Amino acid sequence: MNNLLFCSVGRRGRLLRDVKETIGKTGLVVGTDLQSTAPALQFCDRPYVVPRITDPGYIDTILDICRENDIKAVTTLIDPEIEILAANAGRFKAAGIIPLCPASDSAVYCFDKYELFKYLTEKGIRTPLTFHDWDAFKAALADGSISFPVFMKPVCGSGSVGAHKVHTLEQAEADWHSGEHDYIIQELMTGGDCDADVYVDTISHKAVAAFSKKKIETRIGGASKTISFKDPELFRFIEEICSVFEFNGPLDMDFFIKDGKYYLSEINPRFGGAYLHAYGAGVDFIKLIVNNINGIENPVHLGGYDDDVLMLMYDDVVIAKASDLVNRDFSTI
């Protein structure tokens, strides 16, 4: 059986519905969350309520669930848990489970945006100029390396929380010293942006599938309307990026465009919120995961979809009886 475990499923119900559609009768979709009221738990074949990811016994709990359900591969749908899975990848591998997460150092680079900037710069990968030191930023302003407007965001943020454009030194200084976030400051890229859902094969460790899209509309936490496009230059850049990291499984990459060239902004080594678009356009990462579970190396096939396919996201709800909830501890509601 191709049983998959999705940790911290939260609101990602449509994703799990899509996973179940692909898996069919060949496997189980098992999900966990801190809260029994997490909507996506309602779409799991076997849902579990678990401790916080910071709990000392958290990984033991996840491994128990894996053994109980003969899990073949495990992933998480939230950024803070990626490093935890990566740090414990050896324990999952020893149990015969594929951890769909990066190696530990790659996980650190992806979560800390300034460490990512330094690493990409060292490897010669194009990325926006970034500062995590106020004096260094002011020196760059003085010598003309950067100018206003600029972009500020938390160094370890998620879901676009705290990210904003800044037009003046006074505003930047006030935000920097506000204590609200630990900020980085980046050059503002005005040539457009896009993102890509990428699958890195767990056997070859190559990028074997990529789906790129441009944002039409964005809400807090991600894009709500997107349109697909294909560019061989972007696919080559994705392969170059993946060659300097140790990735396994799904990735969500964000890019800016400057002077006709792509610049990597961020990497989230998990299923992105708009992966639904890729799936709907026929780029099915679950099939690739199942192949890897069964020892099959996936061939490289970047861009296997049509241009100009739209995704138009809308709201939906789950209606359930409280008595039907998975509830090991009712106080977690």
Side-chain angles (χ1 to χ4, degrees), residues 21-267:
E21 183 176 54
T22 294
I23 290 291
K25 296 180 179 179
T26 71
L28 297 173
V29 177
V30 182
T32 72
D33 201 87
L34 170 66
Q35 296 184 321
S36 59
T37 50
L41 286 180
Q42 300 300 310
F43 300 96
C44 298
D45 295 310
R46 294 180 184 174
Y48 289 83
V49 175
V50 296
R52 291 186 182 277
I53 62 173
T54 53
D55 188 284
Y58 177 75
I59 288 295
D60 288 334
T61 299
I62 296 301
L63 282 165
D64 286 344
I65 292 171
C66 288
R67 285 187 283 266
E68 184 177 326
N69 294 280
D70 191 24
I71 295 298
K72 301 301 183 183
V74 59
T75 190
T76 179
L77 300 181
I78 62 170
D79 294 325
E81 192 172 1
I82 293 168
E83 286 187 72
I84 296 171
L85 287 185
N88 291 277
R91 297 183 65 186
F92 289 101
K93 291 176 183 177
I97 302 160
I98 298 174
L100 298 171
C101 64
S104 288
D105 55 351
S106 293
V108 170
Y109 293 139
C110 292
F111 192 59
D112 187 311
K113 296 174 178 61
Y114 188 63
E115 290 300 317
L116 178 64
F117 164 74
K118 290 193 296 182
Y119 183 71
L120 292 174
T121 302
E122 173 192 327
K123 295 297 182 181
I125 304 291
R126 293 186 303 275
T127 191
L129 182 61
T130 303
F131 297 90
H132 194 213
D133 179 276
W134 180 252
D135 291 334
F137 168 64
K138 289 202 298 182
L141 280 174
D143 68 21
S145 299
I146 194 169
S147 59
F148 285 101
V150 297
F151 198 71
M152 294 181 67
K153 59 185 177 182
V155 68
C156 293
S158 182
S160 301
V161 174
H164 60 288
K165 187 189 299 186
V166 178
H167 295 272
T168 67
L169 180 62
E170 292 75 19
Q171 182 189 357
E173 186 166 17
D175 291 349
W176 185 271
H177 296 293
S178 68
E180 185 175 350
H181 297 286
D182 181 10
Y183 281 111
I184 55 172
I185 301 177
Q186 294 184 319
E187 63 175 315
L188 186 67
M189 311 289 275
T190 58
D193 64 355
C194 63
D195 59 59
D197 298 290
V198 179
Y199 187 80
V200 174
D201 191 85
T202 66
I203 298 172
S204 69
H205 303 292
K206 294 179 181 179
V208 296
F211 176 85
S212 52
K213 55 196 181 291
K214 294 179 180 178
K215 300 169 187 174
I216 300 173
E217 179 181 276
T218 302
R219 296 183 179 181
I220 294 174
S224 55
K225 296 178 183 178
T226 53
I227 186 166
S228 65
F229 75 101
K230 293 191 281 190
D231 184 349
E233 285 298 321
L234 178 57
F235 296 148
R236 281 191 284 270
F237 192 40
I238 288 170
E239 289 179 305
E240 181 184 357
I241 292 164
C242 290
S243 72
V244 301
F245 289 94
E246 294 181 69
F247 289 136
N248 288 290
L251 311 172
D252 174 28
M253 294 185 175
D254 294 335
F255 299 92
F256 289 114
I257 304 167
K258 177 181 177 181
D259 299 328
K261 294 186 179 297
Y262 294 100
Y263 285 68
L264 178 63
S265 171
E266 296 183 15
I267 308 175

